[in-house]
Amino acid sequence: MSSDPLRSYENARARVAPPMTAAAAGVAVRAAPAWQDAAVAAPAAAESVMGPLAWALSLAIASLVLVVVLLPWFVLQLPVDYFVASRQELRAERTPIGWVWRVLRNVLGLCFVLAGAAMLVLPGQGLLTILIGLLLLEFPGKRALERRLVARPAIKAFLDRIRARRGVPPLEVDGP
């Protein structure tokens, strides 16, 4: 026997109780108080919620910046008589580059319409994004829809203010 009482106690204990296994350690962890589980789970839950919220906030800010930049540019590019019913549309040249441009424009317009529709329930400028998308898309009845929208006094005044800031003449619009 050993003269050290502590060492003899540890030896006796090792012979009576085997060392704790990994499974037994897992049971000990699961038996922790509920507040410890909550303290461990809270940061993980916050990260799982903040990820989508951060993406939604980023998308909302990016769409706002995009609308603020693109809407005036589109409005300034429109010819003065664009919304007049008797105006004959100039057909794009039917070259391969013309077709590629039309396809890209329609894909971009569809992306804007879908993003705007999503922004009706998410943060962002949904209606303005949809309007930009509709201006880019080509579909039957588009001109009539655009004329009806722009014929509204508040919308026409807003578009004419944007054009007046750059010294561009106001848009001519037929009635709906």
Side-chain angles (χ1 to χ4, degrees):
M1 278 227 168
S2 158
S3 65
D4 185 13
L6 183 59
R7 189 170 288 231
S8 61
Y9 171 76
E10 288 174 0
N11 289 336
R13 183 167 180 208
R15 277 181 267 150
V16 174
M20 188 177 276
T21 64
V27 171
V29 169
R30 272 186 250 135
W35 65 269
Q36 286 180 347
D37 289 340
V40 170
E47 287 177 16
S48 68
V49 171
M50 292 306 291
L53 286 178
W55 276 104
L57 180 62
S58 300
L59 181 65
I61 291 171
S63 70
L64 176 64
V65 169
L66 201 59
V67 166
V68 167
V69 170
L70 288 181
L71 184 66
W73 184 80
F74 280 123
V75 171
L76 293 172
Q77 299 305 312
L78 293 174
V80 173
D81 63 345
Y82 182 80
F83 297 107
V84 176
S86 62
R87 179 179 185 268
Q88 294 296 322
E89 285 222 36
L90 299 174
R91 292 284 173 200
E93 290 184 35
R94 302 297 184 213
T95 64
I97 294 174
W99 282 103
V100 169
W101 170 246
R102 288 180 74 190
V103 168
L104 288 176
R105 199 175 113 192
N106 279 296
V107 167
L108 182 64
L110 182 63
C111 289
F112 271 98
V113 169
L114 293 175
M119 283 183 243
L120 292 176
V121 293
L122 297 172
Q125 304 294 322
L127 292 176
L128 291 175
T129 307
I130 291 173
L131 181 62
I132 288 174
L134 289 176
L135 288 173
L136 289 172
L137 284 174
E138 294 178 17
F139 59 89
K142 173 187 169 185
R143 303 245 327 126
L145 176 64
E146 289 174 343
R147 283 198 332 265
R148 276 196 305 265
L149 284 173
V150 175
R152 295 177 181 242
I155 293 175
K156 181 163 181 344
F158 175 71
L159 297 176
D160 287 344
R161 265 195 316 270
I162 291 173
R163 292 173 69 88
R165 287 183 192 153
R166 299 285 186 198
V168 178
L171 295 168
E172 298 173 10
V173 179
D174 287 348

